[in-house]
Structure formats: C-alpha cells, structure tokens
Amino acid sequence: MAHALDIARWDLECEFNNTDHRTELNGVERLIVRRGQSFTINLHLRSGVYQPGGSALDLTVETGPQPSDQYGTQASFGLTDQIDTSRWSAAITSPPGNMVSLSICSPPDAPIGRWRLTLGQGGRVDFVLLYNPWCTGDVVYMDSEEKLREYILAQDGIIYRGGWKYPIPTPWNYGQFEDGILNACLRILDMNPKCLRNPGKDASGRRNPIYVSRVLSAMVNCNDDKGVLQGRWTDDYDGGVSPLSWKGSVEILRNWDTNACQPVRFGQCWVFAAVACSVSRALGIPCRLVTNYNSAHDTNSNLVIERYVDENGQLVQKSRDMIWNYHCWVENWMTRPDLKPGFDGWQVMDPTPQEKSEGVYCCGPIPLKAIKEGELTDKYDAPFVFAEVNADVHTFMKRKDGSTKKIISSVHVGLKISTKSVGSDRREDITHLYKYPEGSDEEREAFTKANHQNKLLQQQDNAGLLIVIKVSTEMRKGCDFDVFAVITNNTPNEKKCRLVFGSRAVSYNGILGENCGFKDLLNVQLAPGEEKRVALRMNYSKYAENLTEDNLIRLAALLLDYGTQEAYLAVRNVVLVNPEIKVRILGEPKENRKLAAEITLQNPLPVPLQNCCFTVEGSNLTGGQVVTERLNSTVEPGQDAKVKIYFTPTHSGLRKLVVDFDSNKLCHVKGYRNVIIGK
C-alpha cells in the first residue's frame, strides 16, 4: 500500500514557472501559469523519502465560490506515471529522495482565474490560471511566435485616429503586465452582473473566451454595471478628464480598482477599445485594436444612414443615425465551435456603449468572416457591425418650407480599416478582411445574404455635373491655408449654378461645431467640359477658437443646378496636424540604470503658449507611473518648449516612451520614442 507523502514545506518556483509560462513580466512573487501546460512545485518532506509506486499524494483544485466537478471548477486527482495534458494531472519528475519535484498540469479548457490547490492533508497553494495561446489544445491557440509577441506580450501599440485621408498614429501604453493590472482584470470578471447573479456558473463560463469577451465588452463601459469607464462625447469634462488626456490603460484600470469600482471619467471609443485590449492580453487572449474610418452608426438596423442638410449644405440632426469620422474596436482571436466551420480566427468585440445587445450595452464577439460574407444571423451582433462597414448613405436637403429632396452625394463608409503591423509601427490595412472589393461578384453575394437591397439597387448616378473638395497636402494647426471646391461640367450644355461652400468644426463622432469659414456664390457659370476651382481661405484667427480637441474641420460644398433643380453635395473632413514632439534619449539605456529624455515641441501657433506641461509613461520604463514636468515660462511663437525627464527602466527589450503635451492653446499633442533597453 502506498504511503502518503509527509510534506513539511514547498517551493512554488515562481520565477522558473512564470518565465516558462511567459507571465514573468507580471512579477515573480506569486504563481501565474497558463492552462494546458505543466508547472513544477518542489516539495520538501518532513520524514521518509519518495519511492515510485510506494508514495501517494491526493490533490484538489478549486476555483470560484461554489466549486463543482460538474462545472469543471473543481477536480480531485492523485499521482500518475506521467502528465495527461487533457485533464488535471500530477506526476513526480525527480528521482527518489526527500525533495520531490511535482509536475501539475491543467486541461486546456480549464476556467481561467484564481485557483486553490490542496496538497494532501494540509498544504494549500493559490495560483492564477490564464488562457494559453501557445497551447495547441486551447481555443485561443495562435501558431505564430511573432504574432504572439505582438498580440499578447507587447505592452504598447499604435492607435489610428485622424481621418481616412490622413490617418494619425497615436501611441498607447497597454501596460497589461504592470503591477496590479492583472488583479484589476480579474476583478472586472468578478464584478460583472452575471458573476454577481450566479457566481458558480460564471466561474465555469470563464473556460470560454467567447463568454469572457462578451463580459469584457459590457464591463469596460459602465452603462449597465460597475464597469471601468464612463463615456462622454461633449466638450464638458467636469468631474473627470478629457479622453484625449489618457496615454495608456494603466492609470485607468488602477483608478477603477482602487476607487471601489467607481467608473473612471471619461472615455471615448479608442480609450474603451484600448482598455479592452489591455485586459484581453492580460488574460491571455490575443488581441489587436482596429480603426474603421467613416464608421456608420445604424440605430434602426436598416443598413441605411439617412443624413439631412440645410440649403447651405450643412448637416441638420434629424436622425440618430451617424457617420463617425472613425471608430475603434478590438479583435480577439479564438475558435468558434458554437458556429458552423470556417468562422475561427479574429472576432470583433466592441466595448464602446452604442446600442444594447440582449438588454446590455455590449457588442460581439462576431467573426470577421461573418461580416465579410454577410452572415448576419451568426452570434453576436453581426447586423450592427456589418452596417458599420457597409451601410448605404442617403442624403436629403431640408428646405426652409419643410419639404425634402434627395441630393446626389458620394459618401462611403468602412474605409481604410487599420491596425498596427506585427513587429513594427507601420499601419496595416485590413479592409479586405471585412469586405470584398467594391463591385465584385462576391460583394454582391454578401449583400444578397445580408438583404442589403439598397446597395444592390444602387446605380452610379452621374447627371453630368461633378463636385469634389481638394485640399493642401498638409494642413498644420496654426497656419492659414486654402481648400478648394472643384466643379466639372461633363454635359454638352452651359450650366448656371449656385455654390455654397462652408466649413465647421466637427468632433470625431460627427457632432458639428461652429462655422470656420463660408462662401455663397449665386452665379457660377460653366461652359461644356469646363472645370472651375473655387478657393475657401481657412484663417487660424477664425478656426482657432472653434476647433474641438479632435482638430477636425468638416468641409461641405453644395452645388445647385438652376436648370434641372438637382443638388450635388461633396463632403470632406480635414485633420489639422499637431506639431511633432521630439524625444532625445541621453545616455545608454540599460536595465535598472537611471536615464534621461530631452523632450522638445516647437510652438507653431501665432500666439504664446501658457501652462505648458509634458507627461510621459512607458511600460517597464517609468515604474508604472506617469511622470509630469511643467514649464513655468511662456513659450512664444516659434520658440521651443523643452524639458528633461528622468526614469529608470526595469526590463530589457524594445519599449515605447509615450509623451503628451498640454497647454492653454495646444491640447494633448501626442508623441513617442521607441527605446531599446539593454541588460
């Protein structure tokens, strides 16, 4: 008969195990391992020695408040000759003696979260179990080491903002391995309403990344629960800070976790998506952040965005349907055994609260393939995401007498869908993963499946007059510049027209602000085949006070043909470019050695800058803190704002130092510098 091992003490070998499981950046003070992969505990015996076949050890593992064999949240097992990776198992891997190396393995579908391990009669060990995208048996398995370095291990990235004609890369510090962040991520799961209602069932559900992704989509916003972020899409940020002030997820998650799960104020789409990306990567789900330019917000699921303009071509808000200049969400990587074959891989998950799904503000996960193929009955929320990238846009003019008339306008949604490239800061265009080429047979087939009749019936309506808006190559904030309405008469007849050419500040989600410049020409004459360029001067003195923090101006040119009474509309959003922040690293970057960065920004405005402030942060660079440096002096036009900031890197490798500059006239300018830290 086998004798139970008499254990005096044990060593969790956290540094070895965490490094082996690629979790060491979380720290090596506690055991953090991935499912489907064995880890080792060294047992020191009080008496006797381990003998193969002559020694026994009963082990029990449990997770959640109501552990049960039936739900997979509890398991009891003993020693076997070798590890079985398909279930909870344990084997001795050391020779006979009074120190025993115990190897333990979880199944690749075990629920993630905090687990308790009981060794024999007395020893209890706590550990954290995460998803394992390196394990072929895990549904989040990804077969590329290079992609896993990007989508799990990279602690910083690039978010694309601006406009589809001028995507602006914005650095972000995901910081998923910074101190306290994993605890905050596990707390998000514990605070979700499904867990509070039925904790035993929720703990079991955590085996499934589909379930967890849907929970995260709801919990990153606070609309129905004790979620992380509160959204605000006006210029009033009283009681919080502008979404543009955030440089990373660490401060947001820490604020939520340390303030009794009170929502952090405020977020907008890229902030919601970035926090969701941090949490997904922390839990072990490969994740990337995606930007969709000209993103449709279809509130009534008819795949049509109806826009109304007045007789000056300016938008009037008559419908909740909107076109956002851009919208950000995340994609999580997993198989979809709940759907028919062919829908594994990237899944859209959108934590920005826009519309309710099953009574809750959440969206996804839905396979990219389902969006591309027009399979709108697949789970979850396919019609909404399909509309974001494919909706048809109908524009109507609302006259002063109350009547409306459809006008000819060419506006496309779902443009230049972008994400950061693997292993570099270049932009990768992934539009082809969401849509077939415009006009292709496959596109028509997808629209047929999706019952997108408007697109199928659409004819290219060109009545012979063409109007487009052209702009300068680069429009810098602080400069005066020209924009042009270019009108072409492709008919054999002379045309007499009225041209209304206007500009207004606009926020990234389509809400219009004040006038920035306007021109109304009552008598524009065009000979057959003639092209005319009409310039509109954009003066800093006029647009400066009206711009939102998004630095966007909406140009609208409305052409009215007196002869046919047809109306033609061209619309274009322009992005005003902020000045570049220059970062110079002083000294040789090495682990645990103090380093300085000289940070400079030249004032491009014709007015002085006051209350200037630089803030920086970077994973494994600034100790998980935001470093702030203020300037006491005024920075005159053309002068440099310059500071020196000190920090001590803690880990080697490629890191991003993320910088934000703020002042009275120039708000939240972003910059970054990649730093290679040596050992």
Side-chain angles (χ1 to χ4, degrees), residues 1-8 43-59 77-79 92 97-98 100 102 118-123:
M1 180 182 164
H3 293 285
L5 291 174
D6 184 13
I7 302 167
L43 308 177
H44 298 269
L45 303 184
R46 183 179 290 109
S47 61
V49 295
Y50 161 69
Q51 291 294 343
S55 303
L57 181 63
D58 294 326
L59 301 103
F77 52 101
L79 296 176
I92 304 292
N98 60 3
V100 175
L102 177 66
T118 306
L119 300 162
Q121 293 305 304

PDB file of all heavy atoms in Angstrom, residues 1-8 43-59 77-79 92 97-98 100 102 118-123:
ATOM      1  N   MET A   1       0.850  -1.196   0.000  1.00  0.00           N
ATOM      2  CA  MET A   1       0.000   0.000   0.000  1.00  0.00           C
ATOM      3  C   MET A   1       0.894   1.258   0.000  1.00  0.00           C
ATOM      4  O   MET A   1       1.873   1.339   0.725  1.00  0.00           O
ATOM      5  CB  MET A   1      -0.897  -0.005   1.248  1.00  0.00           C
ATOM      6  CG  MET A   1      -1.821   1.191   1.337  1.00  0.00           C
ATOM      7  SD  MET A   1      -2.796   1.122   2.848  1.00  0.00           S
ATOM      8  CE  MET A   1      -3.373   2.789   2.904  1.00  0.00           C
ATOM      9  N   ALA A   2       0.528   2.239  -0.845  1.00  0.00           N
ATOM     10  CA  ALA A   2       1.326   3.461  -0.961  1.00  0.00           C
ATOM     11  C   ALA A   2       1.121   4.339   0.267  1.00  0.00           C
ATOM     12  O   ALA A   2       0.013   4.457   0.792  1.00  0.00           O
ATOM     13  CB  ALA A   2       0.927   4.213  -2.219  1.00  0.00           C
ATOM     14  N   HIS A   3       2.207   4.963   0.726  1.00  0.00           N
ATOM     15  CA  HIS A   3       2.157   5.856   1.888  1.00  0.00           C
ATOM     16  C   HIS A   3       2.042   7.304   1.413  1.00  0.00           C
ATOM     17  O   HIS A   3       2.713   7.712   0.481  1.00  0.00           O
ATOM     18  CB  HIS A   3       3.414   5.691   2.741  1.00  0.00           C
ATOM     19  CG  HIS A   3       3.504   4.341   3.386  1.00  0.00           C
ATOM     20  ND1 HIS A   3       2.746   3.981   4.472  1.00  0.00           N
ATOM     21  CD2 HIS A   3       4.260   3.257   3.064  1.00  0.00           C
ATOM     22  CE1 HIS A   3       3.029   2.736   4.808  1.00  0.00           C
ATOM     23  NE2 HIS A   3       3.939   2.268   3.960  1.00  0.00           N
ATOM     24  N   ALA A   4       1.184   8.051   2.134  1.00  0.00           N
ATOM     25  CA  ALA A   4       1.021   9.469   1.787  1.00  0.00           C
ATOM     26  C   ALA A   4       2.316  10.219   2.072  1.00  0.00           C
ATOM     27  O   ALA A   4       2.962   9.997   3.095  1.00  0.00           O
ATOM     28  CB  ALA A   4      -0.126  10.083   2.588  1.00  0.00           C
ATOM     29  N   LEU A   5       2.682  11.101   1.164  1.00  0.00           N
ATOM     30  CA  LEU A   5       3.885  11.915   1.354  1.00  0.00           C
ATOM     31  C   LEU A   5       3.678  12.863   2.539  1.00  0.00           C
ATOM     32  O   LEU A   5       2.632  13.516   2.664  1.00  0.00           O
ATOM     33  CB  LEU A   5       4.188  12.718   0.086  1.00  0.00           C
ATOM     34  CG  LEU A   5       4.652  11.923  -1.137  1.00  0.00           C
ATOM     35  CD1 LEU A   5       4.776  12.843  -2.340  1.00  0.00           C
ATOM     36  CD2 LEU A   5       5.990  11.230  -0.865  1.00  0.00           C
ATOM     37  N   ASP A   6       4.684  12.936   3.412  1.00  0.00           N
ATOM     38  CA  ASP A   6       4.628  13.790   4.601  1.00  0.00           C
ATOM     39  C   ASP A   6       5.357  15.103   4.273  1.00  0.00           C
ATOM     40  O   ASP A   6       6.577  15.194   4.352  1.00  0.00           O
ATOM     41  CB  ASP A   6       5.309  13.055   5.765  1.00  0.00           C
ATOM     42  CG  ASP A   6       5.191  13.844   7.071  1.00  0.00           C
ATOM     43  OD1 ASP A   6       4.395  14.801   7.108  1.00  0.00           O
ATOM     44  OD2 ASP A   6       5.913  13.500   8.022  1.00  0.00           O
ATOM     45  N   ILE A   7       4.574  16.135   3.874  1.00  0.00           N
ATOM     46  CA  ILE A   7       5.157  17.369   3.334  1.00  0.00           C
ATOM     47  C   ILE A   7       5.405  18.376   4.454  1.00  0.00           C
ATOM     48  O   ILE A   7       4.495  18.734   5.212  1.00  0.00           O
ATOM     49  CB  ILE A   7       4.218  17.993   2.278  1.00  0.00           C
ATOM     50  CG1 ILE A   7       3.964  16.988   1.148  1.00  0.00           C
ATOM     51  CG2 ILE A   7       4.799  19.283   1.719  1.00  0.00           C
ATOM     52  CD1 ILE A   7       2.823  17.365   0.234  1.00  0.00           C
ATOM     53  N   ALA A   8       6.650  18.840   4.562  1.00  0.00           N
ATOM     54  CA  ALA A   8       6.990  19.862   5.564  1.00  0.00           C
ATOM     55  C   ALA A   8       6.792  21.265   4.992  1.00  0.00           C
ATOM     56  O   ALA A   8       6.220  22.139   5.631  1.00  0.00           O
ATOM     57  CB  ALA A   8       8.436  19.674   6.017  1.00  0.00           C
ATOM     58  N   LEU A  43       8.533  19.873  -3.375  1.00  0.00           N
ATOM     59  CA  LEU A  43       8.041  19.517  -2.044  1.00  0.00           C
ATOM     60  C   LEU A  43       9.214  19.043  -1.190  1.00  0.00           C
ATOM     61  O   LEU A  43       9.998  18.189  -1.618  1.00  0.00           O
ATOM     62  CB  LEU A  43       6.992  18.406  -2.139  1.00  0.00           C
ATOM     63  CG  LEU A  43       5.828  18.633  -3.120  1.00  0.00           C
ATOM     64  CD1 LEU A  43       4.915  17.403  -3.153  1.00  0.00           C
ATOM     65  CD2 LEU A  43       5.036  19.869  -2.735  1.00  0.00           C
ATOM     66  N   HIS A  44       9.321  19.563   0.000  1.00  0.00           N
ATOM     67  CA  HIS A  44      10.353  19.114   0.944  1.00  0.00           C
ATOM     68  C   HIS A  44       9.658  18.263   2.003  1.00  0.00           C
ATOM     69  O   HIS A  44       8.740  18.742   2.683  1.00  0.00           O
ATOM     70  CB  HIS A  44      11.059  20.323   1.573  1.00  0.00           C
ATOM     71  CG  HIS A  44      11.763  21.171   0.560  1.00  0.00           C
ATOM     72  ND1 HIS A  44      13.072  20.972   0.203  1.00  0.00           N
ATOM     73  CD2 HIS A  44      11.314  22.208  -0.198  1.00  0.00           C
ATOM     74  CE1 HIS A  44      13.417  21.855  -0.725  1.00  0.00           C
ATOM     75  NE2 HIS A  44      12.360  22.623  -0.984  1.00  0.00           N
ATOM     76  N   LEU A  45      10.083  17.009   2.124  1.00  0.00           N
ATOM     77  CA  LEU A  45       9.401  16.048   3.002  1.00  0.00           C
ATOM     78  C   LEU A  45       9.895  16.178   4.437  1.00  0.00           C
ATOM     79  O   LEU A  45      11.082  16.393   4.699  1.00  0.00           O
ATOM     80  CB  LEU A  45       9.617  14.630   2.492  1.00  0.00           C
ATOM     81  CG  LEU A  45       9.174  14.365   1.036  1.00  0.00           C
ATOM     82  CD1 LEU A  45       9.349  12.890   0.688  1.00  0.00           C
ATOM     83  CD2 LEU A  45       7.727  14.794   0.812  1.00  0.00           C
ATOM     84  N   ARG A  46       8.943  16.008   5.366  1.00  0.00           N
ATOM     85  CA  ARG A  46       9.281  16.054   6.791  1.00  0.00           C
ATOM     86  C   ARG A  46       9.962  14.760   7.205  1.00  0.00           C
ATOM     87  O   ARG A  46      10.912  14.738   7.962  1.00  0.00           O
ATOM     88  CB  ARG A  46       8.001  16.285   7.595  1.00  0.00           C
ATOM     89  CG  ARG A  46       8.225  16.423   9.100  1.00  0.00           C
ATOM     90  CD  ARG A  46       6.928  16.683   9.859  1.00  0.00           C
ATOM     91  NE  ARG A  46       6.381  18.010   9.600  1.00  0.00           N
ATOM     92  CZ  ARG A  46       5.287  18.248   8.896  1.00  0.00           C
ATOM     93  NH1 ARG A  46       4.617  17.248   8.337  1.00  0.00           N
ATOM     94  NH2 ARG A  46       4.847  19.481   8.717  1.00  0.00           N
ATOM     95  N   SER A  47       9.441  13.654   6.703  1.00  0.00           N
ATOM     96  CA  SER A  47      10.005  12.338   7.032  1.00  0.00           C
ATOM     97  C   SER A  47       9.840  11.417   5.839  1.00  0.00           C
ATOM     98  O   SER A  47       8.990  11.641   4.979  1.00  0.00           O
ATOM     99  CB  SER A  47       9.303  11.746   8.261  1.00  0.00           C
ATOM    100  OG  SER A  47       7.917  11.576   7.972  1.00  0.00           O
ATOM    101  N   GLY A  48      10.658  10.377   5.807  1.00  0.00           N
ATOM    102  CA  GLY A  48      10.571   9.414   4.723  1.00  0.00           C
ATOM    103  C   GLY A  48      11.121   9.991   3.435  1.00  0.00           C
ATOM    104  O   GLY A  48      11.542  11.141   3.358  1.00  0.00           O
ATOM    105  N   VAL A  49      11.118   9.159   2.427  1.00  0.00           N
ATOM    106  CA  VAL A  49      11.557   9.582   1.097  1.00  0.00           C
ATOM    107  C   VAL A  49      10.521   9.155   0.076  1.00  0.00           C
ATOM    108  O   VAL A  49       9.727   8.245   0.319  1.00  0.00           O
ATOM    109  CB  VAL A  49      12.938   8.963   0.732  1.00  0.00           C
ATOM    110  CG1 VAL A  49      14.028   9.483   1.633  1.00  0.00           C
ATOM    111  CG2 VAL A  49      12.886   7.444   0.775  1.00  0.00           C
ATOM    112  N   TYR A  50      10.538   9.855  -1.048  1.00  0.00           N
ATOM    113  CA  TYR A  50       9.630   9.470  -2.135  1.00  0.00           C
ATOM    114  C   TYR A  50      10.138   8.187  -2.805  1.00  0.00           C
ATOM    115  O   TYR A  50      11.320   8.081  -3.145  1.00  0.00           O
ATOM    116  CB  TYR A  50       9.532  10.600  -3.158  1.00  0.00           C
ATOM    117  CG  TYR A  50       9.009  10.129  -4.497  1.00  0.00           C
ATOM    118  CD1 TYR A  50       7.684   9.711  -4.631  1.00  0.00           C
ATOM    119  CD2 TYR A  50       9.850  10.052  -5.607  1.00  0.00           C
ATOM    120  CE1 TYR A  50       7.215   9.239  -5.850  1.00  0.00           C
ATOM    121  CE2 TYR A  50       9.387   9.588  -6.833  1.00  0.00           C
ATOM    122  CZ  TYR A  50       8.068   9.182  -6.945  1.00  0.00           C
ATOM    123  OH  TYR A  50       7.608   8.703  -8.149  1.00  0.00           O
ATOM    124  N   GLN A  51       9.223   7.202  -2.978  1.00  0.00           N
ATOM    125  CA  GLN A  51       9.538   5.961  -3.690  1.00  0.00           C
ATOM    126  C   GLN A  51       8.514   5.776  -4.807  1.00  0.00           C
ATOM    127  O   GLN A  51       7.309   5.776  -4.537  1.00  0.00           O
ATOM    128  CB  GLN A  51       9.467   4.744  -2.739  1.00  0.00           C
ATOM    129  CG  GLN A  51      10.563   4.690  -1.695  1.00  0.00           C
ATOM    130  CD  GLN A  51      11.936   4.472  -2.300  1.00  0.00           C
ATOM    131  OE1 GLN A  51      12.055   4.052  -3.453  1.00  0.00           O
ATOM    132  NE2 GLN A  51      12.977   4.776  -1.535  1.00  0.00           N
ATOM    133  N   PRO A  52       8.955   5.644  -6.054  1.00  0.00           N
ATOM    134  CA  PRO A  52       7.995   5.402  -7.145  1.00  0.00           C
ATOM    135  C   PRO A  52       7.126   4.184  -6.828  1.00  0.00           C
ATOM    136  O   PRO A  52       7.648   3.124  -6.457  1.00  0.00           O
ATOM    137  CB  PRO A  52       8.893   5.145  -8.360  1.00  0.00           C
ATOM    138  CG  PRO A  52      10.204   5.785  -8.010  1.00  0.00           C
ATOM    139  CD  PRO A  52      10.348   5.655  -6.532  1.00  0.00           C
ATOM    140  N   GLY A  53       5.832   4.355  -6.932  1.00  0.00           N
ATOM    141  CA  GLY A  53       4.891   3.262  -6.670  1.00  0.00           C
ATOM    142  C   GLY A  53       4.597   3.071  -5.201  1.00  0.00           C
ATOM    143  O   GLY A  53       3.603   2.437  -4.844  1.00  0.00           O
ATOM    144  N   GLY A  54       5.451   3.622  -4.332  1.00  0.00           N
ATOM    145  CA  GLY A  54       5.239   3.419  -2.902  1.00  0.00           C
ATOM    146  C   GLY A  54       4.780   4.668  -2.181  1.00  0.00           C
ATOM    147  O   GLY A  54       4.582   4.662  -0.971  1.00  0.00           O
ATOM    148  N   SER A  55       4.623   5.771  -2.906  1.00  0.00           N
ATOM    149  CA  SER A  55       4.211   7.037  -2.289  1.00  0.00           C
ATOM    150  C   SER A  55       2.942   7.545  -2.969  1.00  0.00           C
ATOM    151  O   SER A  55       2.743   7.359  -4.180  1.00  0.00           O
ATOM    152  CB  SER A  55       5.312   8.086  -2.426  1.00  0.00           C
ATOM    153  OG  SER A  55       6.515   7.629  -1.850  1.00  0.00           O
ATOM    154  N   ALA A  56       2.075   8.182  -2.158  1.00  0.00           N
ATOM    155  CA  ALA A  56       0.805   8.691  -2.690  1.00  0.00           C
ATOM    156  C   ALA A  56       0.639  10.155  -2.291  1.00  0.00           C
ATOM    157  O   ALA A  56       1.214  10.621  -1.301  1.00  0.00           O
ATOM    158  CB  ALA A  56      -0.362   7.867  -2.147  1.00  0.00           C
ATOM    159  N   LEU A  57      -0.133  10.879  -3.099  1.00  0.00           N
ATOM    160  CA  LEU A  57      -0.465  12.274  -2.783  1.00  0.00           C
ATOM    161  C   LEU A  57      -1.813  12.598  -3.413  1.00  0.00           C
ATOM    162  O   LEU A  57      -2.003  12.435  -4.617  1.00  0.00           O
ATOM    163  CB  LEU A  57       0.616  13.226  -3.322  1.00  0.00           C
ATOM    164  CG  LEU A  57       0.408  14.719  -3.040  1.00  0.00           C
ATOM    165  CD1 LEU A  57       0.429  14.994  -1.542  1.00  0.00           C
ATOM    166  CD2 LEU A  57       1.471  15.561  -3.753  1.00  0.00           C
ATOM    167  N   ASP A  58      -2.757  13.011  -2.579  1.00  0.00           N
ATOM    168  CA  ASP A  58      -4.068  13.427  -3.088  1.00  0.00           C
ATOM    169  C   ASP A  58      -4.060  14.938  -3.299  1.00  0.00           C
ATOM    170  O   ASP A  58      -3.667  15.696  -2.406  1.00  0.00           O
ATOM    171  CB  ASP A  58      -5.176  13.056  -2.094  1.00  0.00           C
ATOM    172  CG  ASP A  58      -5.322  11.546  -1.957  1.00  0.00           C
ATOM    173  OD1 ASP A  58      -5.122  10.848  -2.969  1.00  0.00           O
ATOM    174  OD2 ASP A  58      -5.605  11.079  -0.830  1.00  0.00           O
ATOM    175  N   LEU A  59      -4.500  15.366  -4.483  1.00  0.00           N
ATOM    176  CA  LEU A  59      -4.535  16.794  -4.796  1.00  0.00           C
ATOM    177  C   LEU A  59      -5.960  17.206  -5.161  1.00  0.00           C
ATOM    178  O   LEU A  59      -6.704  16.437  -5.792  1.00  0.00           O
ATOM    179  CB  LEU A  59      -3.606  17.113  -5.973  1.00  0.00           C
ATOM    180  CG  LEU A  59      -2.126  16.762  -5.774  1.00  0.00           C
ATOM    181  CD1 LEU A  59      -1.800  15.482  -6.522  1.00  0.00           C
ATOM    182  CD2 LEU A  59      -1.235  17.889  -6.257  1.00  0.00           C
ATOM    183  N   PHE A  77      -7.465  14.584  -7.865  1.00  0.00           N
ATOM    184  CA  PHE A  77      -6.650  13.657  -8.636  1.00  0.00           C
ATOM    185  C   PHE A  77      -5.428  13.263  -7.811  1.00  0.00           C
ATOM    186  O   PHE A  77      -5.069  13.940  -6.835  1.00  0.00           O
ATOM    187  CB  PHE A  77      -6.231  14.266  -9.986  1.00  0.00           C
ATOM    188  CG  PHE A  77      -5.580  15.621  -9.887  1.00  0.00           C
ATOM    189  CD1 PHE A  77      -4.204  15.768  -9.979  1.00  0.00           C
ATOM    190  CD2 PHE A  77      -6.349  16.773  -9.689  1.00  0.00           C
ATOM    191  CE1 PHE A  77      -3.611  17.016  -9.889  1.00  0.00           C
ATOM    192  CE2 PHE A  77      -5.759  18.026  -9.587  1.00  0.00           C
ATOM    193  CZ  PHE A  77      -4.382  18.149  -9.687  1.00  0.00           C
ATOM    194  N   GLY A  78      -4.822  12.152  -8.187  1.00  0.00           N
ATOM    195  CA  GLY A  78      -3.637  11.673  -7.489  1.00  0.00           C
ATOM    196  C   GLY A  78      -2.447  11.634  -8.426  1.00  0.00           C
ATOM    197  O   GLY A  78      -2.475  12.195  -9.529  1.00  0.00           O
ATOM    198  N   LEU A  79      -1.392  10.972  -7.991  1.00  0.00           N
ATOM    199  CA  LEU A  79      -0.178  10.869  -8.794  1.00  0.00           C
ATOM    200  C   LEU A  79      -0.349   9.832  -9.898  1.00  0.00           C
ATOM    201  O   LEU A  79      -0.962   8.779  -9.692  1.00  0.00           O
ATOM    202  CB  LEU A  79       1.005  10.473  -7.910  1.00  0.00           C
ATOM    203  CG  LEU A  79       1.406  11.476  -6.823  1.00  0.00           C
ATOM    204  CD1 LEU A  79       2.530  10.896  -5.975  1.00  0.00           C
ATOM    205  CD2 LEU A  79       1.825  12.795  -7.437  1.00  0.00           C
ATOM    206  N   ILE A  92       5.426  12.864 -10.458  1.00  0.00           N
ATOM    207  CA  ILE A  92       6.723  13.184  -9.851  1.00  0.00           C
ATOM    208  C   ILE A  92       7.792  13.089 -10.938  1.00  0.00           C
ATOM    209  O   ILE A  92       7.870  12.090 -11.659  1.00  0.00           O
ATOM    210  CB  ILE A  92       7.047  12.216  -8.696  1.00  0.00           C
ATOM    211  CG1 ILE A  92       5.931  12.235  -7.642  1.00  0.00           C
ATOM    212  CG2 ILE A  92       8.405  12.561  -8.087  1.00  0.00           C
ATOM    213  CD1 ILE A  92       5.791  13.513  -6.871  1.00  0.00           C
ATOM    214  N   GLY A  97      13.969  10.455  -3.093  1.00  0.00           N
ATOM    215  CA  GLY A  97      14.702  11.307  -2.166  1.00  0.00           C
ATOM    216  C   GLY A  97      13.745  12.084  -1.288  1.00  0.00           C
ATOM    217  O   GLY A  97      12.524  11.883  -1.335  1.00  0.00           O
ATOM    218  N   ASN A  98      14.310  12.987  -0.435  1.00  0.00           N
ATOM    219  CA  ASN A  98      13.449  13.754   0.478  1.00  0.00           C
ATOM    220  C   ASN A  98      13.044  15.115  -0.089  1.00  0.00           C
ATOM    221  O   ASN A  98      12.421  15.918   0.577  1.00  0.00           O
ATOM    222  CB  ASN A  98      14.113  13.907   1.847  1.00  0.00           C
ATOM    223  CG  ASN A  98      15.439  14.633   1.727  1.00  0.00           C
ATOM    224  OD1 ASN A  98      15.809  15.065   0.638  1.00  0.00           O
ATOM    225  ND2 ASN A  98      16.152  14.763   2.837  1.00  0.00           N
ATOM    226  N   VAL A 100      11.047  16.463  -3.528  1.00  0.00           N
ATOM    227  CA  VAL A 100      10.238  15.901  -4.620  1.00  0.00           C
ATOM    228  C   VAL A 100       9.839  17.019  -5.579  1.00  0.00           C
ATOM    229  O   VAL A 100       9.294  18.042  -5.150  1.00  0.00           O
ATOM    230  CB  VAL A 100       8.964  15.227  -4.048  1.00  0.00           C
ATOM    231  CG1 VAL A 100       8.066  14.742  -5.180  1.00  0.00           C
ATOM    232  CG2 VAL A 100       9.330  14.087  -3.117  1.00  0.00           C
ATOM    233  N   LEU A 102       7.233  18.032  -8.128  1.00  0.00           N
ATOM    234  CA  LEU A 102       5.872  17.650  -8.510  1.00  0.00           C
ATOM    235  C   LEU A 102       5.452  18.467  -9.722  1.00  0.00           C
ATOM    236  O   LEU A 102       5.437  19.703  -9.678  1.00  0.00           O
ATOM    237  CB  LEU A 102       4.918  17.913  -7.339  1.00  0.00           C
ATOM    238  CG  LEU A 102       3.433  17.638  -7.568  1.00  0.00           C
ATOM    239  CD1 LEU A 102       3.183  16.146  -7.777  1.00  0.00           C
ATOM    240  CD2 LEU A 102       2.602  18.165  -6.398  1.00  0.00           C
ATOM    241  N   THR A 118      -4.905  22.131  -3.084  1.00  0.00           N
ATOM    242  CA  THR A 118      -4.666  21.493  -1.792  1.00  0.00           C
ATOM    243  C   THR A 118      -3.772  20.281  -2.001  1.00  0.00           C
ATOM    244  O   THR A 118      -4.061  19.416  -2.834  1.00  0.00           O
ATOM    245  CB  THR A 118      -5.998  21.070  -1.133  1.00  0.00           C
ATOM    246  OG1 THR A 118      -6.860  22.207  -1.080  1.00  0.00           O
ATOM    247  CG2 THR A 118      -5.768  20.556   0.278  1.00  0.00           C
ATOM    248  N   LEU A 119      -2.669  20.245  -1.249  1.00  0.00           N
ATOM    249  CA  LEU A 119      -1.693  19.152  -1.332  1.00  0.00           C
ATOM    250  C   LEU A 119      -1.886  18.244  -0.125  1.00  0.00           C
ATOM    251  O   LEU A 119      -1.571  18.622   1.005  1.00  0.00           O
ATOM    252  CB  LEU A 119      -0.268  19.714  -1.314  1.00  0.00           C
ATOM    253  CG  LEU A 119       0.128  20.680  -2.443  1.00  0.00           C
ATOM    254  CD1 LEU A 119       1.369  21.467  -2.057  1.00  0.00           C
ATOM    255  CD2 LEU A 119       0.386  19.892  -3.716  1.00  0.00           C
ATOM    256  N   GLY A 120      -2.425  17.054  -0.352  1.00  0.00           N
ATOM    257  CA  GLY A 120      -2.572  16.092   0.746  1.00  0.00           C
ATOM    258  C   GLY A 120      -3.430  16.638   1.862  1.00  0.00           C
ATOM    259  O   GLY A 120      -4.490  17.221   1.636  1.00  0.00           O
ATOM    260  N   GLN A 121      -2.921  16.488   3.099  1.00  0.00           N
ATOM    261  CA  GLN A 121      -3.727  16.816   4.274  1.00  0.00           C
ATOM    262  C   GLN A 121      -3.696  18.291   4.670  1.00  0.00           C
ATOM    263  O   GLN A 121      -4.564  18.743   5.388  1.00  0.00           O
ATOM    264  CB  GLN A 121      -3.251  15.973   5.476  1.00  0.00           C
ATOM    265  CG  GLN A 121      -3.515  14.491   5.322  1.00  0.00           C
ATOM    266  CD  GLN A 121      -4.982  14.201   5.039  1.00  0.00           C
ATOM    267  OE1 GLN A 121      -5.850  14.606   5.806  1.00  0.00           O
ATOM    268  NE2 GLN A 121      -5.270  13.531   3.940  1.00  0.00           N
ATOM    269  N   GLY A 122      -2.688  19.029   4.224  1.00  0.00           N
ATOM    270  CA  GLY A 122      -2.620  20.365   4.804  1.00  0.00           C
ATOM    271  C   GLY A 122      -2.194  21.481   3.893  1.00  0.00           C
ATOM    272  O   GLY A 122      -2.643  22.603   4.043  1.00  0.00           O
ATOM    273  N   GLY A 123      -1.328  21.204   2.946  1.00  0.00           N
ATOM    274  CA  GLY A 123      -0.753  22.297   2.174  1.00  0.00           C
ATOM    275  C   GLY A 123      -1.748  22.915   1.203  1.00  0.00           C
ATOM    276  O   GLY A 123      -2.411  22.212   0.448  1.00  0.00           O
TER     277      GLY A 123
END
